[in-house]
Amino acid sequence: MGCRWYTVFDEAIPSKPNISVPALDVNYSPAFKFRTIYRQGGHHRGPYGGEQEWCLRNRSVAEEVGRPPGGSTCHTYSAYFNPKDYFDNHPEYASFMNGKYNLELHDQFCQTNPDVRKIVLEKLRKVIRDNPNADYYEVSTNDGNRQRCQCPGCMEIEKQEGRTGPFMDFINFLADGIKDEFPKAIIRTFAYNVTALPTKTMKYRPNVCVRVCITGTEHLPFTAPENAFALRDVQAWRERATRLFKWDYDGLAHGQVFPAPIFDSYTDRFNLYPKLNIEGLFLESELMVSPRPFVGMRHWVWLHKAEDPSRDVWELVQDFSNGMYGKAAPHIMSLLKLTEKRKQDYPYNLYDFSYLTGAQGLFDKAEKAVADSPKALARVREARLGLDLATLYYWTKAITDHVRSGGKESDWKLNKDTIIARVEPLLLAVQKEGRWLSCGVPHWNAQQKQQAEEKWLTKFQQTVVQPVVNCGRAAKNVMPLPPELETVPADRIVDLPAPVIGFCDGRGPFYEQVDDRIPVPDPQSTAGNAVFISNERMKAFGGVLPFHLGIYDSTGRVGGGARINPDDIKGEGYRLYKMGRFRLSDTAYIYLTGSWQIQIRPLIPFLNPDNPDHPWDIYLSLKTSGPGLPFGDKTGKDGIFLDRMILVRVDEERKLTRGEVRAAEKGENLLASGDFDRNEKPDPKTGLPRGLRVSAGEGATVALDAETKASGTHSLRITRSGDAGAATVSFADPVPVVPGATYLLSAKVMFTDRHISFAFGCLDEKKNGLPHQPDNLVKMEPVTRYLGIGSTYFNVPYACQEKPNSFNPIEMALVIPAQAHYLNVSLGYGHAIGAAWFDDVQVRQILA
Ligand SMILES: [Zn+2]
């Protein structure tokens, strides 16, 4: 009959004097039994009811969850068992970490302790008795749990099944323990964080349902190459559980306010989910209707897709647009399609000259089309907020890139003042209309409601609108290239001004989160803005200098890093520092500062899809500030202003051919002791072959392993049980090398978690270390794409491996710098918890 409940603020009920209902015989069962949407707060009330009414009208079906007393509908572990309550008498109920049972992991408990299991089972039985009709009984790990007990019992299972093994074994114990008394009860748990990695062969019992929280890159289809790992893991979970539930995130869920592509990914997701025979879907959305562009549309479309996956996403989008935007709908549709068409460019490259001017043009037309309809006009203006903010934030980059690719600065017709004048009063209008996160908790009085609204409004003003407006005001139109890069062709340069660098994923400031990465206006900066990183903030890392840049690759491939030392600062004001040459890849990101506070990710939009593993020269432009830093402005605060990062794509370097690799293999191995076979006279201190130097942080051990080895009698094993410093093993005797020549490093490695590293240091003729400059660094070129593969989930890499329990070959070309006559080689294992084995580490020259 055409009734629509688009949001709690917007319904469309056609007025018809007569309704005729044809003979109906519809028999339909939805593809997913449960369809739940979580919207932060969940208390919003509009003129057409509250959240719950909205959900019911759109036929959202929530499951009934049996939860422990005081527990939530998920993350219930600590409500079932908290090791703190028992720690005095039973430390062994807690987690074994760094050589002892402790509360380092807070409420995380041992999964294999028989007493813990019994206590939880009894509590669970009581919960089921008290709530006999629940659809699920939730027993799932606490949020933020990325570590686990490493007692012998837990590690025994983990060794066989991987990280999730002990957790699954624990849940299976509970499942077996309830099935006779409660044959219909189903335990629900998570595949998330520490339990995200599918087990090797172990499966959940039939009375367990697993909620899989693996999404990959949300704005891209699950079938996109970038999501191959996520898809593989979701499919692996299908094999390991009879009952599956999918936890979705409202694309780019956490507070992002700029326009973003998402709808095509719904089509793809809802093609996949029915095939996986999922019984329920959950959508987590952390922010409500305003101010994220089209967030109400996303939720409405998602819920209708969940009810009937055969419905066309773009027909639903059209329906929503027609109902909400009236005569402006065609322009809104064009805008959404334009955004979607550019999804491969999201985030950084989406907001360029062409997109921003095109999208602003469509909004101009949309506003004109509904000029006589105040309601539709208000909705269009609300939808425009995100684009206006993006325009201000990407101002400098958009115009600069346009000019570099042959355009004129005067082509840019957008007016800053007009946009700023549009943005600021809009929030007040939205609030006045009551559409602002209205926080209508039923028992609140008018004053409480008003206070809550003002709080949200103030927060949004402070954390998003004001910083973006300030940034836009200060933004210069065009950044000139530094003289040393003036001759480089424009298509080889990626020039990122402060606003883009400052935010970890290039999307812009996050609602609700005051963040010191937000750029501050600085007229000295080429962009007009700079990110200020204070010495105070970097205190735990020894201050802001040395200033770190690094490449982290979630697949465990070669990364690398460089730093600016206090000695390298040569003067006042902004200066360009060449950080070195790095091979980027589609699974890598760039991090800055000792705390990795700033992360540029994903890098995909910069990279040539046909050859993502390209080498790049990376430059940083920064100035020091404060009396505590060399050449710092004496009146300023101690710290560094970073205004720009420039990446210059260099010509592909020569890659080793298989013939060269084979020729090298016949040459002499220059590295002694790399087979780790115990010789006659081991070092009495370490028990290792002589010539190996060990540096192991707390919780790390280095030993020879006679059982697990690739060849000979032993391998070298590094075990880490804590997150303290990395363990490294270096070869004491530097390898003599020919300056400028190319060498092949080969090795066999095996690991339970990634983060294996190889490091090389260059020495001069007298075996003194060469100054730490880009020209003195060994260039590492992976010959084989080796090692395990990983994925990124909520920016937390979780471990997985390509060939578990076997040695993986590594081959790497090393190009020796012109000044180097000796090479130091070391092996490392850091960040990871687990073990790594090295064997047959060799260095051979490749003779041309
Ligand atoms: Zn344990």
Side-chain angles (χ1 to χ4, degrees), residues 110-112 149 151 154:
C110 173
Q111 300 294 296
T112 53
C149 175
C151 77
C154 289

Side-chain angles (χ1 to χ4, degrees), residues 92-96 101 109-113 148-155 166:
E92 76 279 13
Y93 294 175
S95 288
F96 188 84
Y101 285 99
F109 52 81
C110 173
Q111 300 294 296
T112 53
N113 182 287
R148 73 292 183 220
C149 175
Q150 293 169 57
C151 77
C154 289
M155 290 315 275

Side-chain angles (χ1 to χ4, degrees), residues 652-811:
E652 184 58 276
E653 287 165 339
R654 186 179 74 98
K655 273 202 162 181
L656 293 187
T657 62
R658 290 310 309 174
E660 284 174 307
V661 172
R662 276 196 299 275
E665 281 161 1
K666 288 179 197 145
E668 183 198 353
N669 174 23
L670 303 167
L671 201 62
S673 314
D675 57 7
F676 307 111
D677 293 336
R678 204 198 296 265
N679 47 23
E680 298 286 297
K681 290 180 192 158
D683 186 319
K685 260 196 237 156
T686 60
L688 301 177
R690 281 172 193 272
L692 295 178
R693 230 179 260 146
V694 175
S695 150
E698 199 188 333
T701 54
V702 178
L704 293 185
D705 190 332
E707 275 176 37
T708 304
K709 63 208 175 197
S711 68
T713 64
H714 292 82
S715 72
L716 179 83
R717 185 187 63 226
I718 305 181
T719 317
R720 297 190 76 237
S721 63
D723 272 337
T728 50
V729 174
S730 25
F731 293 88
D733 297 326
V735 176
V737 288
V738 178
T742 306
Y743 288 75
L744 180 76
L745 172 119
S746 60
K748 302 219 171 70
V749 298
M750 175 168 137
F751 50 91
T752 58
D753 200 347
R754 298 154 302 144
H755 305 278
I756 280 181
S757 64
F758 290 83
F760 304 95
C762 294
L763 312 176
D764 64 14
E765 279 169 299
K766 293 176 182 160
K767 297 195 186 175
N768 293 319
L770 291 175
H772 196 84
Q773 287 166 4
D775 291 346
N776 289 337
L777 300 178
V778 169
K779 284 189 195 115
M780 291 176 248
E781 298 282 317
V783 178
T784 40
R785 274 200 163 207
Y786 55 88
L787 296 199
I789 38 183
S791 182
T792 304
Y793 170 68
F794 253 141
N795 302 342
V796 181
Y798 60 93
C800 55
Q801 48 194 34
E802 194 148 59
K803 285 193 221 153
N805 305 321
S806 61
F807 279 91
N808 296 271
I810 288 177
E811 283 169 344

Side-chain angles (χ1 to χ4, degrees), residues 95-114:
S95 288
F96 188 84
M97 283 289 287
N98 297 326
K100 59 179 187 291
Y101 285 99
N102 55 47
L103 293 171
E104 222 171 279
L105 301 182
H106 309 285
D107 41 19
Q108 175 61 283
F109 52 81
C110 173
Q111 300 294 296
T112 53
N113 182 287

